[in-house]
Amino acid sequence: MKLKQRFQPFLQAIPQLLLFQFVSTVILTLVTLAVSLLGGLLLGLSGKAAVTSGDLSFLFTRWQGWVMIILLLAMVTIYVAVELNALIIFCNKILSGEKPSVWQCIKDGFAGLKKFLSLRGVIVIIYAVVLAPIFGLGFSISLTQNFYIPKFIMSVIEATPLFLTAYIIAAVFLTVVAFIYCFILHGALLDDMTMKEAGINSRKLFVKNWKNLLVELIIFAVLSFVVAALLIGVCGVLPLLIVSAIPMGETVKSFLVIFFCVIIILLTAIVMYSYVSFLMIKLTSLYKKYTSEGGEWTYQPQEKKRHPVVITLVVLLLVAACGFSVYAVNHFDELFKTQVDGNIVAHRAGGVEAPENTVKGIEVAHEYGALGCEIDIQRTSDGYYVVNHDADFERVAGVAKAPEEMTLAQVKELKVDGEPVPTFEEMLDASRDKVILFVELKGATADNQMAEDAVRIIKEKGMQDQTVLISLKMDILEYIEEKYPEMQTGYLAFVSLGSIEDTPFDYLALEEEISTDDTIASVHAKGKKIIVWTVNEEDDIEHFMLSDADAIITDSVKLSREVKERLTNRSTAQIILEQAYRMLR
């Protein structure tokens, strides 16, 4: 197929797709806002600020929770109707040479929801809404596109051969399913098949055309990358490099650097925003080809037209980029984060730099300039508190017994990479005047008694100002806040619905994916501090070092320090592009 024939359907579809994306984005934004407001009202009626990973049972034990579930399901349904059904119908009409009505396609998308009223239909929705985004496969809706397996769980999966094998098998299986049933929605929506018939039809099409399908999708992916790279490179990167190399006045140079950085950002955003729609056009064109008589369908080019809306939009974007660049030259420090203030909290005392949850870990973390150390305490059978992360000591010391099954004397016989398992008191002594100790109340023995004992021990050491009691269990922290308000507390969460910033704790320690800039700002507005966990990859460390988070909890203490030092010596272009990348993540 000639390059012109490959590109023509996409180029001619741009004006119509822009209109579709604009209208659908407005609709879904309003729906999301309405559901958020109603959810907040329901939480208020129940006396809660948020539903988090520590109290998900609320959703199933209170009428407000059931109503919230219904609202969430309704919102998911609307997203499916607009971002999957209506988009397929819209793309089909474009490829058929029609000038589709956005509103009619959305209306037809809602009408197509009846196709999902079967077991197979429900499975398709679960795949598209949950499994596809988690494994990064196929099409998903934007509402759940950031669904993920929390990284602290993925770290366990990657470290356990059995779990890792199961994960790989699941990923391979779901990938195969994605290809085999990639035309199921096309059959149901475009040819009025039942979901069962559409599934059978998609399997037949795949078996008959799988080689061509794979080749076409690979070519599409390669050409998409090349076109995007050329567009961004020629219009943004190359001019930026030229400007950086040519001697000129500082003010003019700053303006041009900012201008071309903005161009790179805009083009990147447009490419990311348009890719899914273009991929749907490609799949729809392949479906029409594979289902046509003899497989001879070809795109009939539309009559060439001028598109003043597109031209006007391009001009307005260029004018806006110029205006922003002029403003940014004079207000750079107000617009961009030029100082890197992120603090480091060593996970499990010293991260990977020392044996975990040991006195040695605290000493090493202090040497690397960590603000604090996070440790995990559990109760022994004779009532003492020792430091260990897992449910037992098998991984770190080769003994498959839980702390509550052992006496202190038995625990003290164990070694973690040559280091003794410390008591809570020993860790307090080691951290005094060096680092803040974030003490997680952990495991089967994490209860109000542990809270009482931890507070007593901390007070005996006089270290109330150098410790923070943290937990995944909200009820324990609420008990501490009520009985010992002078103690600092921190709530660990990896799921959150509602206003988590209104929970009564001094610190919020949130998993990476829910630690958005808006959440961080909301937490700070309530006078609380926010820590992000567990941040180990260099890209993620950089991301949160450049955020307004008060600290990151990390296993990579040394790497985090190196990233922080590197970020303090960035050029103007690096500062702008890094902040933009954070926004586009």
Side-chain angles (χ1 to χ4, degrees):
M1 186 184 296
K2 296 180 180 179
L3 280 179
K4 180 180 179 181
Q5 292 175 304
R6 288 190 179 277
F7 285 117
Q8 201 167 33
F10 304 102
L11 293 175
Q12 292 194 331
I14 287 175
Q16 296 161 306
L17 282 176
L18 285 174
L19 178 61
F20 178 86
Q21 289 179 320
F22 174 76
V23 174
S24 62
T25 299
V26 170
I27 291 173
L28 295 177
T29 299
L30 292 174
V31 168
T32 304
L33 178 61
V35 172
S36 298
L37 292 174
L38 289 172
L41 177 62
L42 289 166
L43 285 172
L45 291 173
S46 68
K48 297 181 67 67
V51 180
T52 66
S53 47
D55 60 345
L56 288 176
S57 60
F58 161 80
L59 291 173
F60 306 99
T61 57
R62 303 277 293 274
W63 70 265
Q64 294 95 339
W66 283 108
V67 175
M68 288 181 66
I69 290 174
I70 293 171
L71 286 173
L72 288 172
L73 291 175
M75 183 163 62
V76 166
T77 302
I78 293 172
Y79 270 79
V80 168
V82 174
E83 290 190 333
L84 291 180
N85 295 3
L87 179 59
I88 290 174
I89 295 167
F90 194 81
C91 290
N92 180 61
K93 290 184 179 294
I94 289 175
L95 293 171
S96 299
E98 301 178 35
K99 187 176 180 181
S101 162
V102 175
W103 293 109
Q104 185 59 49
C105 289
I106 291 176
K107 181 180 177 181
D108 292 342
F110 276 95
L113 289 173
K114 64 178 181 292
K115 298 292 183 179
F116 296 96
L117 298 178
S118 65
L119 178 60
R120 288 180 176 81
V122 172
I123 292 173
V124 169
I125 288 182
I126 292 173
Y127 186 94
V129 173
V130 181
L131 298 177
I134 285 179
F135 287 90
L137 306 168
F139 283 95
S140 61
I141 59 175
S142 61
L143 180 68
T144 60
Q145 65 183 0
N146 291 323
F147 269 22
Y148 63 100
I149 298 175
K151 291 188 177 181
F152 73 96
I153 295 178
M154 274 305 303
S155 65
V156 175
I157 292 175
E158 291 169 355
T160 309
L162 180 61
F163 292 165
L164 182 59
T165 301
Y167 177 83
I168 292 172
I169 291 173
V172 171
F173 171 75
L174 291 172
T175 300
V176 173
V177 169
F179 279 105
I180 293 175
Y181 292 100
C182 64
F183 297 121
I184 189 170
L185 292 181
H186 290 81
L189 296 168
L190 304 183
D191 290 326
D192 198 28
M193 299 178 185
T194 65
M195 204 61 76
K196 179 180 179 180
E197 293 169 339
I200 294 171
N201 181 60
S202 185
R203 288 201 304 271
K204 289 180 178 178
L205 293 176
F206 176 79
V207 170
K208 184 178 179 180
N209 303 283
W210 69 271
K211 289 183 181 178
N212 179 263
L213 173 65
L214 294 179
V215 169
E216 287 290 335
L217 291 180
I218 290 172
I219 292 173
F220 172 80
V222 171
L223 288 178
S224 297
F225 176 80
V226 170
V227 170
L230 285 174
L231 183 64
I232 296 171
V234 172
C235 298
V237 177
L238 184 60
L240 181 61
L241 293 175
I242 294 173
V243 168
S244 300
I246 297 177
M248 62 182 72
E250 189 63 32
T251 301
V252 174
K253 190 166 191 172
S254 296
F255 168 81
L256 291 174
V257 166
I258 294 172
F259 175 79
F260 287 113
C261 283
V262 171
I263 296 299
I264 292 171
I265 294 164
L266 288 173
L267 290 176
T268 302
I270 291 170
V271 167
M272 292 172 62
Y273 192 59
S274 304
Y275 181 77
V276 171
S277 296
F278 284 155
L279 180 56
M280 187 63 84
I281 285 181
K282 182 63 182 179
L283 279 176
T284 306
S285 68
L286 290 174
Y287 178 78
K288 293 174 76 69
K289 174 183 176 182
Y290 296 154
T291 55
S292 63
E293 188 174 346
E296 295 298 326
W297 180 87
T298 55
Y299 173 69
Q300 298 300 318
Q302 300 177 19
E303 181 183 344
K304 290 185 178 180
K305 299 178 182 179
R306 294 179 180 273
H307 296 289
V309 174
V310 176
I311 297 172
T312 302
L313 181 62
V314 171
V315 172
L316 288 175
L317 288 176
L318 290 174
V319 171
C322 286
F324 176 81
S325 300
V326 171
Y327 182 83
V329 167
N330 299 305
H331 301 84
F332 192 82
D333 290 342
E334 298 174 22
L335 293 172
F336 300 99
K337 188 176 179 67
T338 56
Q339 300 298 318
V340 181
D341 303 317
N343 291 304
I344 300 167
V345 174
H347 190 219
R348 304 181 193 179
V352 297
E353 318 304 336
E356 71 173 62
N357 274 320
T358 62
V359 168
K360 180 68 174 178
I362 289 180
E363 294 170 349
V364 170
H366 176 60
E367 291 173 6
Y368 279 112
L371 167 76
C373 291
E374 180 268 349
I375 65 170
D376 310 276
I377 65 170
Q378 301 188 51
R379 190 165 58 240
T380 64
S381 62
D382 51 351
Y384 292 92
Y385 290 91
V386 294
V387 185
N388 186 56
H389 178 273
D390 296 353
D392 57 36
F393 288 102
E394 183 173 18
R395 179 177 59 85
V396 295
V399 176
K401 284 188 176 182
E404 63 267 24
E405 298 173 330
M406 305 173 69
T407 65
L408 176 61
Q410 291 172 324
V411 171
K412 290 306 256 180
E413 293 176 359
L414 305 178
K415 297 291 182 181
V416 180
D417 293 333
E419 294 291 321
V421 176
T423 64
F424 180 30
E425 290 88 343
E426 288 170 337
M427 296 297 267
L428 285 168
D429 291 336
S431 66
R432 185 186 297 274
D433 300 326
K434 294 179 180 178
V435 295
I436 297 173
L437 204 60
F438 291 83
V439 184
E440 182 173 355
L441 310 182
K442 190 85 171 189
T445 58
D447 54 16
N448 290 350
Q449 183 60 52
M450 179 184 284
E452 289 280 356
D453 292 338
V455 171
R456 173 180 54 78
I457 293 169
I458 291 169
K459 287 187 173 182
E460 287 174 353
K461 297 286 185 179
M463 294 182 64
Q464 295 93 315
D465 294 335
Q466 297 181 51
T467 54
V468 181
L469 294 171
I470 65 176
S471 181
L472 286 160
K473 299 180 178 181
M474 182 180 285
D475 57 337
I476 296 177
L477 295 179
E478 289 175 334
Y479 175 82
I480 296 171
E481 280 289 333
E482 182 178 352
K483 192 167 183 180
Y484 303 104
E486 69 276 13
M487 301 300 296
Q488 296 186 86
T489 56
Y491 179 47
L492 293 161
F494 55 88
V495 173
S496 175
L497 296 172
S499 302
I500 194 171
E501 66 274 10
D502 288 328
T503 51
F505 313 116
D506 304 292
Y507 286 80
L508 288 172
L510 305 183
E511 206 273 338
E512 290 181 58
E513 296 296 337
I514 62 173
S515 300
T516 64
D517 287 344
D518 288 342
T519 299
I520 293 171
S522 298
V523 171
H524 284 161
K526 295 292 184 177
K528 306 173 189 295
K529 294 183 178 180
I530 186 165
I531 301 177
V532 186
W533 60 281
T534 304
V535 188
N536 290 329
E537 301 298 325
E538 183 171 358
D539 185 53
D540 296 325
I541 293 169
E542 181 176 302
H543 174 76
F544 287 107
M545 281 288 180
L546 293 174
S547 74
D548 289 326
D550 296 285
I552 61 171
I553 297 178
T554 180
D555 291 301
S556 308
V557 180
K558 180 181 178 182
L559 176 61
S560 296
R561 178 176 173 176
E562 292 170 352
V563 169
K564 184 175 181 179
E565 290 173 350
R566 174 173 57 79
L567 290 175
T568 59
N569 300 302
R570 295 171 295 156
S571 67
T572 297
Q574 287 174 319
I575 291 172
I576 298 170
L577 294 176
E578 283 168 351
Q579 187 156 327
Y581 173 65
R582 289 185 61 253
M583 296 170 63
L584 293 172
R585 275 173 56 122

